[in-house]
Amino acid sequence: MRPWKRKRSILGGGAKFVTSFEPAERDLLLNLASTVADALMERAQSAPKDELAELTGMPVGHAEAPKDPRLARLLPDFTKPGEESVEGENALMRQLHESDIVKDKLLALRAIIDALEPSESGQVTITENDAHAWVAGINDLRIYLHVSMEGLHGSLEQIEQTDAMYQWLSYNQESLLDVLMGD
């Protein structure tokens, strides 16, 4: 991956951010973003159905944290253990807000997928709004991958490959943040 660069638009359409990925990097990022998006979609689709929510149009999420530790890190509790002032407060907060949080995470991952899918050459150009979504999406990918790494009991080679992927995602995110902040 080449470092992200800011390109000014001649026609005043706002800044664009460009980079290029090697084919293997593009495929890796696309597959990881799709994997995490699929896991989040499965979580959202498995939410209990609530008649009142359907009548009001207000989405309802799960009351319990995800069993998958990778999703549990992406969708943490709203209170620390033992800090609930009212019993069930965390479950209620999760039910009210988890669907919106999942939606935002899916939109960020969609920005990554949409930019990578048509780009077989590896060349990516995104808007400033998409750049912010990329930063959030890459952060979620890093969290998901980090928890995956914590649970690895495989070969040293597998652990090193996962760590290398994590470091590469960190570089990608840092490079994009640098140009967003104007450094």
Side-chain angles (χ1 to χ4, degrees):
M1 176 198 154
R2 296 183 193 269
W4 284 93
K5 293 186 188 228
R6 178 189 302 259
K7 298 285 183 182
R8 299 268 179 218
S9 175
I10 298 171
L11 303 175
K16 301 282 186 197
F17 299 87
V18 298
T19 190
S20 62
F21 295 98
E22 295 295 323
E25 293 173 328
R26 176 196 167 274
D27 292 345
L28 178 79
L29 187 53
L30 190 56
N31 289 336
L32 185 57
S34 296
T35 298
V36 176
D38 288 347
L40 287 167
M41 281 298 295
E42 188 175 309
R43 173 76 177 174
Q45 291 170 347
S46 69
K49 302 299 178 217
D50 182 285
E51 289 178 22
L52 180 60
E54 289 178 16
L55 286 173
T56 62
M58 183 177 180
V60 173
H62 292 271
E64 300 295 322
K67 301 277 187 254
D68 181 336
R70 298 168 299 189
L71 284 179
R73 188 78 61 88
L74 286 175
L75 303 167
D77 285 336
F78 288 86
T79 58
K80 292 180 183 176
E83 276 193 0
E84 290 185 74
S85 58
V86 176
E87 188 175 333
E89 176 183 22
N90 187 61
L92 178 61
M93 294 295 287
R94 182 175 291 282
Q95 284 179 311
L96 291 174
H97 298 291
E98 184 179 276
S99 59
D100 289 333
I101 293 168
V102 168
K103 178 182 168 191
D104 288 344
K105 290 181 180 301
L106 286 170
L107 288 172
L109 293 170
R110 175 55 41 202
I112 293 171
I113 293 167
D114 286 348
L116 291 172
E117 278 185 336
S119 176
E120 290 184 25
S121 69
Q123 192 75 10
V124 174
T125 302
I126 57 176
T127 65
E128 186 166 354
N129 283 340
D130 286 340
H132 289 282
W134 268 67
V135 169
I138 290 173
N139 194 60
D140 287 341
L141 296 178
R142 289 177 62 238
I143 290 169
Y144 192 88
L145 199 58
H146 186 266
V147 176
S148 297
M149 243 182 349
E150 289 174 348
L152 280 179
H153 300 292
S155 68
L156 182 59
E157 180 181 344
Q158 185 182 17
I159 293 169
E160 287 174 345
Q161 286 175 345
T162 306
D163 183 55
M165 191 183 328
Y166 180 83
Q167 297 301 326
W168 177 77
L169 284 170
S170 298
Y171 168 75
N172 188 329
Q173 185 181 38
E174 182 180 356
S175 173
L176 185 52
L177 279 169
D178 284 346
V179 296
L180 274 169
M181 295 183 341
D183 288 348

